[in-house]
Every structure is written in structure tokens, then in C-alpha cells.
Amino acid sequence: MFGLNKEINKSRAWKRLEKHAKKMRNVEMRDMFAKDPNRAKKYTLTLGNMTLDFSKNRIDEKTMPYLLGLAKEAKVMKKIEQMFKGEKINVTENRAVLHIALRNQKNTPIYVDGKNVMPEITKVLVKIRDFSEAVRLGKFRGHTGKKLTNIVNIGIGGSDLGPKMAVEALRKYWGKNIKCHFISNIDGTACAEVLNKLDPETTLFIVCSKTFTTIETLTNAKTCRKWLVDALGEPAVAKHFVAVSTNAEEVRKFGINTENMFEFWDFVGGRYSMWSAIGLIIAIAVGYDNFEKMLAGAYEMDKHFRKAEPDKNIPMILGLLSVWYNNFFGIRNHVVVPYDQYLTYLPAYLQQLVMESNGKFVDLDNKLVKYQTSPVVFGGAGTDVQHSFFQMMHQGTSFVPCDFIVPAISHNEIGEHHEILLANVLAQSEALMRGKTIKEAAEELKEAGKSKEEIALLKKYKSFKGNRPSNTIVFKKMDPYTLGMLVAMYEHKTFVEGAIWNIDSFDQMGVELGKQMALKILPELQGNKENAAHDCSTKALINLIRKLRK
Ligand code: G6Q
């Protein structure tokens, strides 16, 4: 019902883009800039305080109309409407996809199976508000009467990456004395290193798990529970443990009173859940008002995504550009570089958002796809990454499209730091676009007084092909509202890609196989069971590790 019933790569729109891309391979961005002083204006979009400059892309006046033709062919606008109306577009799990309902500030009804989901959402938001305020004001205290100032989020994947990224992004807004911690990895070190720093009397654990069956989260939660009970006794659990889940039964079984449980719903995917009670740690850290501002920022982006014309639609343009390089230039990567230390975890968050959503090889018509889907996403905070993988960005044999994320004002305006940072990001995008010809490199060497021999030796090494695309996203300051806009922008960009590739961006079957097999291997490693039918490499590794652990 949501499939396209045709292979998008056989459409006229796709073929036209293939032809066009062949031509565009030989077009230099620096020439297009030289010819058209209006290019930046033509390819800049603004929404509120956020501006996207996508002029440094390998596009001409035909490219965007052609890409928009592809979006039409893939029925992207129709699919957007289906999401907003609560239709079950997550077909493999037969679920609606309603993270947008979590920030539906107007509270307009959204129906799933004939039931308006908004009252439930509002109820949980009120619970988040009341609880986060009670913790911050010291009305909800620990078992021994002390204020809870160390907040530990226990969760993994979607129940960790979003809240962790957002809490760090908004560090400047943390309440006085509040400290946030995250335990995700099953590696005992993750637990030990957090618990070592904490005092049980002032620690609140939030166990976040949609299913409440995830082995990492439950194992970490059990260890933390024991740590608390050993120090303060069993009755302390009620004052130091809360849960966020869709599974009340398992929460109860674990030993957390369901009064201390915050609910969410199967129409919210894990990696889209930081707007739900999974974001409880965000609300406690920065206060509910700021949490709400984050929702409001996302809502502004939602309205824009739903209503703006496709050619003026920021997530649409970003999604189409990604498809452009991915499918018509054969580029397999995408880099995201925030020039804001507080956005350090954004690339990791986006890695899951994009790769878990769109790393799929079966389409919505139950056919194997015959084109490339998700790019590999990576990145890190600027300027750090300029001193690592940027070498490849500038002089590698292929190019990697890049998003630069730029706050005009820093939360820490110290001396010239931020101006130097800003100069760097602008220099990177310009350098990637312009490059430096061999002739220019030779001239530069000559001016530097190098000999003929030296120039001949060095000029190629010192040249840059350029023509390497990037988007620049500028806003005033990294505040809660802007964070909401930014994250929603990427969610919707991911939606556009998935819609064009005709895949289900909202399931994650791909993470299951390894989980199943780990459960089989565990008793074998523990020596309780003979090796089952493994390949000889896995068998030998199990035996080696067993021997080493003796
Ligand atoms: C996200 C994925 C996945 C999930 C984790 C944790 O979209 O579904 O990353 O969030 O596997 O799952 P639980 O929240 O159920 O523990």
C-alpha cells in the first residue's frame, strides 16, 4: 500500500538524472560561481534563525528541478502527508510513525486505529514536567532525604544516543549542581566508571528501554540496582529508580513500581524517541521549559517539512542532494562536522538515525533494491577533525559530501576563539569547493622562492582538485529551540531519502541477527555448553577466549 509498485531506478526521472550527472561530472563549481554572482542567493534557504547554504554543490539550474521530479515520481510529498496523518507507514511492523505527534504543539488530533493519540502524549508530558521539576527543586528526594543531583540514563541505541547528544548539546543549560551520566555499553567498564564517581544517596537512575528486554540495558540496570541496594537497602529503589518503556509488565518484573514508569508507544521508533519520555534526562538536566522549547523548535521544522513547497523545503533539498551523490555519482559516504564542541555527539546520533533507518536492501514492494541505499555517515567536531580525516576530504581520490554546522555565537566567547573557529569552517568549505590547480600551486611555490626543481617536484602534491560539495547550516546559537529544529531537519532529510529509495525507514531488522547469535554463544563461552554448529573460525575463537579467561 505504501510501496511504489515500480522500480524507481527505471523511471524517466531517474534516467534523466543519470544522463544529467554524466554532464555534471565535468562541471566545476568554481566556474559556476565565477559565472553567477547570484549563485549563493539562489541556493540558500532560511527558516527562522536557521540558514542552509547549499550553493557549494555540484548542481546547475537543471539539477534541482530534475531531483524534484524524482521526488514527485517517488511520491515523497504524499508519503510525508501519510506520516503526519498517522498512517501505518512502518509496514514491516504495521505501525504508525509519529515522533512528530510528540512535538505537535497545537495539539491537533492525530488518529491511530481511530484513537486520538494526543491526550496520552499530553498526559505523559505533564508527568515529565512534574517529575523533572520535583527532582530539580528537591521535592522528590533520595531515600535518605538528600537531593538527587546525579542523573544516570541507562539505555542503548535509540534509548541512549538521542538523550546523550541532546544533554551534551545543551550542557550550558544544565541546572545548578545537576550532573548527567550515561551507561549504554554492556562492557562492565561503562558501568564501573560511572558508578565509581557516584554517591548512591544522590543518584537517580532512569532505565530507558522501549521493549524492556534489551540485554545490555537490563544487565546494566541490574548491576546499578544491586549497587544501590547494597548501599541503601531494598526500599531505596522506589526513590532512586524510574523506568521509561512501553512494557509495563517487564518493568514490574524488574522491580520498578509502575507508578515510577513513564510510558511511550510503539508508534515512536527508538532512534526517533528523544522527544518522548526517553528525553526525561534532558528535561531534568535543562528544565522542562527548555525541553518544551526543543519540542517547539522541532515543531517549526515539522510544519515547514509538511507545508513548504518542495523547492523551498530544507529537509527535502538535503535529502535530494544526498540521493544525487549517492545514486548518480556513486558516492558512499556523508560527513557531518559541527563547529560546536557541544554537538560532539551529533555525528554518532546521525550515524544511527541515517544508517539504521536507511541501510536496507529490501524495498516496500518486497523486492531486492537494485541501487545503493544508505551512505556511511561519520564525522566529528571541528576543528579537531580537520587534523585527521580532512586530508582525505581534500586530496582523496573520491569526494565526500559534507555538512558544516555553524553557530554564529558561542556559549563561550573567549578572546578570539570563536572567530578563529568560524574562519576555519568557512575556509574548509571554500577550499573544498575551489581547490587549487597545479598551476596555482606552482605559482605559490614560486612566490615562496622555491627553485624550479622544487616546484616541479612539489606542485602536484600541493594541488587540490576541489569541486567537493558541502552544505553550510548556520544559526545564531546552540539553544534548545535550535537543537529541536536541527534534529528534526535531519529526521526529515532521512525520511526523504528513504521515501525515494522506497524502503521502510522505520524498522531495524538488521540488528537482530547478531543479538540472536550472541545469546547462543554466551553459554558456550561460559563453558556450560558444547560448541554448537559454528564455522571453524568462531569455534576456535570461542575456545581461545575460554582458555584465556581460565
Ligand atoms: C532504534 C533501535 C534500537 C533501539 C535499541 C534499544 O531505533 O530500535 O537502537 O533503540 O536496540 O532498544 P530498547 O529501547 O527496546 O531497549
Side-chain angles (χ1 to χ4, degrees), residues 156-159 208-212 214 217 269-271 352 356 508 515:
I156 196 163
S159 299
C208 285
S209 177
K210 183 172 168 180
T211 54
F212 232 78
T214 306
T217 301
R271 56 195 172 278
Q352 181 192 29
E356 196 166 272
Q508 53 282 315
K515 278 195 204 172

Side-chain angles (χ1 to χ4, degrees), residues 71-352:
K72 203 167 166 203
E73 187 76 39
K75 303 194 171 78
V76 180
M77 293 311 279
K78 188 176 161 211
K79 288 181 174 181
I80 295 172
E81 220 25 53
Q82 286 170 327
M83 170 171 73
F84 277 91
K85 284 192 173 141
E87 294 183 33
K88 294 190 176 173
I89 60 170
N90 177 357
V91 289
T92 61
E93 297 180 317
N94 193 29
R95 288 176 183 167
V97 172
L98 284 179
H99 44 285
I100 50 99
L102 303 169
R103 57 234 190 178
N104 173 13
Q105 303 280 291
K106 275 249 168 92
N107 221 1
T108 42
I110 300 177
Y111 294 95
V112 177
D113 295 327
K115 188 181 160 208
N116 179 11
V117 298
M118 289 315 298
E120 279 293 303
I121 289 174
T122 311
K123 207 169 97 192
V124 176
L125 282 175
V126 170
K127 196 168 169 180
I128 296 173
R129 184 196 64 200
D130 292 349
F131 185 73
S132 58
E133 279 174 6
V135 172
R136 285 166 67 86
L137 296 172
K139 288 184 183 158
F140 185 97
R141 288 180 178 248
H143 183 61
T144 57
K146 286 200 179 160
K147 261 181 122 173
L148 295 164
T149 50
N150 283 298
I151 320 298
V152 183
N153 193 85
I154 308 174
I156 196 163
S159 299
D160 166 69
L161 289 160
K164 186 171 161 186
M165 176 275 295
V167 159
E168 187 59 30
L170 302 177
R171 185 179 270 274
K172 264 287 176 189
Y173 297 82
W174 289 15
K176 216 173 130 218
N177 300 327
I178 297 238
K179 288 202 179 71
C180 298
H181 314 268
F182 290 82
I183 302 177
S184 54
N185 197 341
I186 188 67
D187 187 334
T189 304
C191 235
E193 284 299 330
V194 170
L195 294 180
N196 282 346
K197 290 185 280 202
L198 300 180
D199 171 2
E201 289 182 275
T202 58
T203 302
L204 173 69
F205 294 98
I206 307 175
V207 187
C208 285
S209 177
K210 183 172 168 180
T211 54
F212 232 78
T213 56
T214 306
I215 191 164
E216 290 93 333
T217 301
L218 292 189
T219 309
N220 282 327
K222 264 182 215 149
T223 301
C224 294
R225 196 180 190 284
K226 184 173 182 308
W227 175 84
L228 181 92
V229 170
D230 285 351
L232 303 178
E234 185 69 30
V237 173
K239 292 289 182 189
H240 294 264
F241 267 84
V242 297
V244 182
S245 188
T246 57
N247 192 343
E249 188 49 42
E250 288 299 323
V251 170
R252 197 173 308 118
K253 269 197 221 156
F254 178 83
I256 296 178
N257 189 330
T258 42
E259 271 172 30
N260 283 345
M261 172 179 154
F262 295 77
E263 200 193 345
F264 72 118
W265 310 271
D266 70 4
F267 55 72
V268 180
R271 56 195 172 278
Y272 298 89
S273 66
M274 62 178 248
W275 324 95
S276 72
I278 291 288
L280 182 61
I281 191 168
I282 312 172
I284 297 176
V286 303
Y288 187 77
D289 286 353
N290 281 323
F291 182 73
E292 212 168 38
K293 281 183 195 154
M294 186 183 84
L295 299 185
Y299 180 59
E300 181 168 359
M301 189 56 75
D302 292 344
K303 281 187 298 180
H304 168 80
F305 185 49
R306 190 176 186 181
K307 297 285 177 213
E309 287 302 317
D311 63 336
K312 302 271 179 306
N313 194 315
I314 292 175
M316 176 75 79
I317 299 291
L318 290 174
L320 291 174
L321 287 169
S322 167
V323 169
W324 176 230
Y325 297 120
N326 196 56
N327 298 106
F328 301 97
F329 285 77
I331 298 297
R332 298 183 167 265
N333 306 303
H334 186 86
V335 157
V336 181
V337 186
Y339 278 71
D340 185 329
Q341 189 77 23
Y342 291 124
L343 289 176
T344 292
Y345 297 128
L346 184 70
Y349 167 80
L350 292 177
Q351 219 161 45
Q352 181 192 29

Side-chain angles (χ1 to χ4, degrees), residues 380-395:
T383 59
D384 279 345
V385 296
Q386 288 176 208
H387 299 264
S388 62
F389 62 75
F390 264 55
Q391 165 59 37
M392 189 197 91
M393 303 276 293
H394 286 287
Q395 288 191 313

Side-chain angles (χ1 to χ4, degrees), residues 502-527:
N502 193 30
I503 53 179
D504 186 340
S505 297
F506 302 100
D507 63 9
Q508 53 282 315
M509 313 287 182
V511 294
E512 285 306 317
L513 181 61
K515 278 195 204 172
Q516 282 168 12
M517 291 177 60
L519 287 179
K520 268 194 202 158
I521 292 175
L522 179 63
E524 296 166 20
L525 267 182
Q526 289 170 331

